[in-house]
């Protein structure tokens, strides 16, 4: 007998690649596992069954983490190869349209410019319209981090949002694989109270669903579902209890 408290510690280790590194699902917040089976009742002329037999068994679960881990997400769901570098947001970068031609503004990170995210007037917050070639007030065009405005917007204060590339961090690409592709992983769970540990290991798992939710006045806590199945030699997993019978 044991009492458990809290979500415990959760590790996943990919089983579809060689020498995979075990990954801690950082600061797990919730963990649950459900065992369910189909049963078939045998009836005669009476109300209650004569016999009940269990058919197929399904094991599913859910885990929620208190941190964002690209390595963990990749191990359980995406199965991709990370790329070095990433994308930096430059939100609301303040500039003033020149008072004289050519009415162009070069953003701070133009050398690594990635994509335009829009321009607004600093005074009103109203958006300008992106066009191929400016012909009227309230329009702008952009090429390689150089923004061009109409002469009627001379001296206007604007806030420019855009992305630029950086060499720090890493990027998880999402590619369109053939049907059937999915990383598989071993799942190890541990919890202990009063020096009585409970350990669970499931040899082969897949993640059919992962959620990334954000809301007002709360932390983002990604969660993922998992389905458990037998490994190539027929083993599903094991549950280890502290007592000896």
């Amino acid at each position: 007998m044991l009492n458990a408290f809290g979500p415990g510690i959760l590790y996943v280790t990919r089983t579809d690649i060689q020498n995979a590194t075990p990954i801690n699902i950082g600061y797990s917040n919730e963990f649950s596992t459900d065992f369910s089976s189909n049963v078939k009742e045998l009836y005669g002329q009476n109300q209650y069954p004569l016999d009940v037999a269990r058919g197929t068994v399904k094991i599913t679960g859910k885990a929620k983490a208190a941190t964002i881990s690209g390595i963990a997400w990749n191990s359980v769901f995406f199965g991709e190869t990370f790329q070095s570098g990433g994308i930096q947001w430059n939100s609301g970068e303040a500039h003033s349209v020149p008072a004289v031609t050519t009415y162009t503004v070069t953003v701070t990170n133009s050398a690594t410019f990635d994509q335009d995210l829009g321009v607004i007037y600093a005074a009103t917050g109203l958006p300008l319209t992106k066009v191929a070639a400016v012909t009227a007030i309230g329009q702008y065009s952009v090429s390689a981090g150089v923004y061009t405005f109409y002469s009627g917007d001379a001296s206007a204060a604007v806030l420019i949002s855009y992305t630029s590339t950086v060499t720090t961090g890493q990027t998880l690409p999402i590619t369109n694989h053939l049907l059937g592709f999915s990383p598989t992983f071993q799942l190890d769970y541990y919890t202990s109270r009063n020096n009585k540990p409970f350990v669970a290991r499931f040899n082969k798992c897949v993640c059919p669903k992962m959620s990334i939710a954000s809301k007002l006045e709360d932390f983002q806590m990604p969660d993922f579902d998992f389905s458990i199945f037998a490994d190539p030699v027929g083993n599903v997993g094991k549950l280890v209890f502290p007592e000896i019978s």
Side-chain angles (χ1 to χ4, degrees):
M1 300 288 293
L2 69 99
N3 295 318
F5 186 83
I9 303 170
L10 193 64
Y11 276 84
V12 295
T13 308
R14 285 184 66 178
T15 57
D16 59 318
I17 59 174
Q18 296 292 322
N19 301 315
T21 301
I23 302 300
N24 187 343
I25 302 297
Y27 300 98
S28 59
N29 188 270
E30 293 181 16
F31 176 74
S32 63
T33 307
D34 299 312
F35 296 77
S36 63
S37 65
N38 294 321
V39 295
K40 191 71 176 180
E41 296 89 357
L42 175 65
Y43 289 90
Q45 70 271 28
N46 298 323
Q47 293 182 355
Y48 296 100
L50 301 171
D51 197 2
V52 177
R54 186 167 73 180
T56 57
V57 178
K58 180 171 67 174
I59 311 174
T60 60
K62 179 183 287 288
K64 181 178 291 187
T67 57
I68 297 173
S69 170
I71 299 174
W73 294 2
N74 191 49
S75 294
V76 301
F77 192 84
F78 294 104
E80 303 284 2
T81 300
F82 280 99
Q83 300 171 355
S84 60
I87 296 173
Q88 172 180 289
W89 269 51
N90 306 276
S91 183
E93 189 175 287
H95 291 276
S96 179
V97 179
V100 296
T101 188
T102 57
Y103 310 109
T104 59
V105 170
T106 301
V107 294
T108 302
N109 296 306
S110 61
T112 55
F113 183 83
D114 174 59
Q115 188 170 316
D116 169 53
L117 293 179
V119 181
I120 64 173
Y121 289 111
T124 64
L126 293 175
L128 285 76
T129 301
K130 184 178 180 180
V131 295
V134 294
T135 58
I137 291 176
Q139 296 179 346
Y140 74 96
S141 64
V142 58
S143 176
V146 178
Y147 285 73
T148 301
F149 299 88
Y150 188 66
S151 58
D153 281 318
S155 301
V158 293
L159 301 176
I160 301 175
S161 296
Y162 64 99
T163 56
S164 55
T165 59
V166 292
T167 57
T168 56
Q170 58 183 357
T171 296
L172 177 61
I174 301 175
T175 54
N176 193 12
H177 293 282
L178 291 173
L179 291 174
F181 171 82
S182 174
T184 60
F185 55 92
Q186 174 182 296
L187 187 149
D188 284 274
Y189 173 76
Y190 171 87
T191 188
S192 178
R193 181 167 172 79
N194 299 322
N195 294 317
K196 291 184 176 181
F198 170 68
V199 175
R201 170 173 291 168
F202 300 107
N203 297 358
K204 207 86 166 180
C205 308
V206 295
C207 174
K209 177 184 177 182
M210 190 181 76
S211 302
I212 308 169
S214 303
K215 59 182 177 180
L216 184 66
E217 293 189 353
D218 205 351
F219 293 99
Q220 184 183 107
M221 290 193 292
D223 62 71
F224 66 92
D225 298 348
F226 54 88
S227 296
I228 299 166
F229 58 105
D231 66 16
V233 295
N235 294 321
V236 175
K238 59 186 69 175
L239 305 175
V240 182
F241 302 91
E243 73 269 16
I244 300 176
S245 59

